[in-house]
């Protein structure tokens, strides 16, 4: 993704892109217009307030000459909620929050094509904005006007950057596909240094991250339609999350307690891929296969819910039941020395719930269905 901090002398795309035409595949804007001569030339002019995605067949340098943009007197009007492809006008890098200070609180997320995201507190991997780059910003307010600070007025502070660790187990190669989504995570029973992996139904790793300060989320890569291989998730494809424990070196599952679309705050139920989606998943990491020894039967339940343990727990059992919105609906602590406990669920309405069962230092997640 590219942008410019100068106004081209000739704004015609045929002129701006002429120096790299032999190495360029195609260039497009957010709205689907494309410069792909001679077949498609619907993208006719370079717009200063736009960023562009460009696909190259080989490396090249694009010189753009013209009048310099004065950042502090060149506002960018962002008067609709949703996505913009954002240019960067300054001649030096700047910390992301500082560069976007005039629209603070009005945007949900900004990301780049390399998969770096700035969305505190879930991700701060996009620590700064830099010249010549373009960015994807999602506005949540329709009254935004972005004005960048003047060149040289504030120095870029590398010390403010958050060092984000790369996964060592859930490793993706050739991950840049130009399409991404983001899953913000609120997960129980996970420790710093543990890894999150996102997989498709076919078992393809399409996203990963290390749980750490500055990264409580994961970028998911979409499939690149211009390549022959499957290198990301397809639109609408179901996704599952796994977790690798740094302490035990085991791989477990991430069970879903609640899922919501952060752009609308609407509750959803199935985690699927959609380009530029921003979801919040609340869940629990299950690192122990002993969860298979815990059964909840019969189901659907009515006013009583039996929980059976293959091995009777030595400790008291703590149980929490969450509804589909992630709200705690039931909580108790009791002995299960007989290997069986019966929960009084008469106050719970019909629906699908997620149950967290804590035994000692282990927590297991089970789905519960109640019908009245």
């Amino acid at each position: 993704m590219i942008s410019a901090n100068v106004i081209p002398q000739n704004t015609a795309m045929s002129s701006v892109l002429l120096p790299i035409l032999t190495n360029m595949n195609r260039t497009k804007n957010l709205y689907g217009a494309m410069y792909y001569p001679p077949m498609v030339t619907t993208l006719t002019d370079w717009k200063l307030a736009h960023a562009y995605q460009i696909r190259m067949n080989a490396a090249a340098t694009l010189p753009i000459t013209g009048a310099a943009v004065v950042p502090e007197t060149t506002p960018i009007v962002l008067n609709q909620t949703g996505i913009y492809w954002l240019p960067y006008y300054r001649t030096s890098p700047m910390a992301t929050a500082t560069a976007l200070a005039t629209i603070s609180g009005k945007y949900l997320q900004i990301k780049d094509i390399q998969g770096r995201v700035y969305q505190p507190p879930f991700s701060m991997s996009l620590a700064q904005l830099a010249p010549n780059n373009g960015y994807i910003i999602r506005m949540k307010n329709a009254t935004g006007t972005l004005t960048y600070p003047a060149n040289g007025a504030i120095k870029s502070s590398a010390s403010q950057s958050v060092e984000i660790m790369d996964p060592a187990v859930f490793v993706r190669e050739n991950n840049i596909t130009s399409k991404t989504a983001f899953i913000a995570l609120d997960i129980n029973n996970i420790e710093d240094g543990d890894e999150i992996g996102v997989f498709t139904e076919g078992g393809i790793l399409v996203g990963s991250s290390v749980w750490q300060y500055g990264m409580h989320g994961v970028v998911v890569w979409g499939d690149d339609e211009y390549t022959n291989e499957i290198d990301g998730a397809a639109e609408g494809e179901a996704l599952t999350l796994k977790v690798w424990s740094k302490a035990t070196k085991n791989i477990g599952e991430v069970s879903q307690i609640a899922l919501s679309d952060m752009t609308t705050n609407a509750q959803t139920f199935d985690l699927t891929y959609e380009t530029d989606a921003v979801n919040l998943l609340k869940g629990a990491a299950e690192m122990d296969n002993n969860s298979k020894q815990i059964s909840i039967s019969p189901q659907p339940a009515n006013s009583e819910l039996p929980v059976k343990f293959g091995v009777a727990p030595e400790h008291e059992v703590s149980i929490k039941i969450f509804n589909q919105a992630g709200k705690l609906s039931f909580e108790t602590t009791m002995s299960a020395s007989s290997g069986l406990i019966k929960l009084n669920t008469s106050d719970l309405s019909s629906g699908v719930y997620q149950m967290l069962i804590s035994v000692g230092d282990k927590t297991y997640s089970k789905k519960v269905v109640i019908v009245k």
Side-chain angles (χ1 to χ4, degrees):
M1 290 195 74
I2 62 171
S3 67
N5 51 28
V6 298
I7 303 170
Q9 293 173 343
N10 185 341
T11 60
M13 275 296 183
S14 57
S15 173
V16 173
L17 299 176
L18 182 61
I20 61 168
L21 194 57
T22 56
N23 291 330
M24 186 195 78
N25 182 288
R26 67 194 72 200
T27 299
K28 65 179 181 179
N29 67 7
L30 170 63
Y31 309 102
M34 185 179 298
Y35 187 71
Y36 182 33
M39 289 176 280
V40 182
T41 55
T42 52
L43 183 59
T44 57
D45 292 290
W46 181 280
K47 305 293 186 183
L48 181 65
H50 290 187
Y52 299 92
Q53 278 193 7
I54 186 166
R55 176 176 290 270
M56 301 296 292
N57 296 321
T61 299
L62 174 61
I64 301 179
T65 58
V69 175
V70 181
E72 68 273 25
T73 62
T74 312
I76 302 173
V77 177
L78 307 170
N79 59 359
Q80 293 181 359
T81 59
I83 290 174
Y84 289 85
W85 286 5
L86 192 68
Y88 180 71
Y89 290 157
R90 286 175 44 85
T91 56
S92 61
M94 175 170 279
T96 303
T98 306
L100 303 180
T102 57
I103 54 171
S104 177
K106 296 185 177 183
Y107 63 95
L108 174 65
Q109 177 196 86
I110 184 168
K111 63 181 180 179
D112 67 9
I113 205 167
Q114 284 79 29
R116 292 173 294 214
V117 174
Y118 185 78
Q119 187 184 337
F122 300 104
S123 176
M124 292 182 281
S125 57
L126 182 61
Q128 61 181 15
L129 307 186
N132 305 324
N133 291 344
Y135 300 92
I136 301 171
I137 191 168
R138 182 178 282 275
M139 298 295 295
K140 60 182 182 180
N141 189 291
T143 62
T145 299
L146 171 63
T147 304
Y148 289 115
N151 288 319
I154 303 175
K155 295 182 179 179
S156 172
S157 177
S159 62
Q160 295 178 1
S161 300
V162 177
E163 184 177 355
I164 302 297
M165 294 182 289
D166 294 323
V169 176
F170 295 137
V171 178
R172 264 177 56 82
E173 297 180 358
N174 304 321
N175 59 346
I176 296 177
T177 67
S178 84
K179 295 180 178 180
T180 60
F182 185 72
I183 307 173
L185 298 172
D186 181 0
I187 299 179
N188 298 320
N189 314 321
I190 193 168
E191 304 291 340
D192 283 356
D194 292 353
E195 296 185 16
I196 300 292
V198 184
F199 293 83
T200 65
E201 293 175 297
I204 297 174
L205 177 65
V206 292
S208 60
S209 66
V210 178
W211 189 267
Q212 61 197 289
Y213 173 73
M215 183 52 77
H216 285 183
V218 61
V219 171
V220 184
W221 294 93
D223 188 43
D224 186 345
E225 69 268 33
Y226 299 113
T227 61
N228 293 325
E229 65 272 13
I230 299 175
D231 40 27
E235 298 291 335
E237 187 169 12
L239 304 173
T240 59
L241 274 66
K242 296 182 182 295
V243 59
W244 174 80
S245 169
K246 181 180 179 181
T248 66
K249 314 303 182 189
N250 292 330
I251 294 177
E253 305 287 336
V254 175
S255 61
Q256 178 181 311
I257 296 173
L259 180 67
S260 60
D261 182 337
M262 298 188 77
T263 67
T264 62
N265 294 321
Q267 299 295 319
T268 57
F269 300 100
D270 298 318
L271 181 62
T272 59
Y273 176 80
E274 179 184 344
T275 298
D276 294 325
V278 186
N279 290 312
L280 172 61
L281 186 148
K282 297 182 179 180
E286 296 183 17
M287 299 306 305
D288 195 327
N289 289 330
N290 287 336
S291 64
K292 297 178 181 179
Q293 299 180 14
I294 302 176
S295 62
I296 302 172
S297 179
Q299 284 199 76
N302 186 282
S303 59
E304 186 177 78
L305 194 62
V307 182
K308 303 173 184 177
F309 297 84
V311 178
E314 298 178 359
H315 307 280
E316 284 195 325
V317 174
S318 174
I319 293 180
K320 297 180 179 180
I321 298 178
F322 299 84
N323 64 17
Q324 287 289 339
K327 181 181 178 181
L328 181 63
S329 303
F330 179 93
E331 183 175 14
T332 188
T333 299
M334 59 195 304
S335 171
S337 57
S338 66
L340 172 66
I341 56 178
K342 295 181 179 181
L343 304 177
N344 182 356
T345 54
S346 57
D347 291 336
L348 296 181
S349 58
S350 296
V352 179
Y353 296 83
Q354 201 74 27
M355 177 188 292
L356 292 187
I357 305 169
S358 297
V359 183
D361 60 351
K362 305 291 184 182
T363 300
Y364 312 104
S365 177
K366 296 289 183 181
K367 186 173 288 187
V368 174
V369 179
I370 294 177
V371 176
K372 296 295 180 68

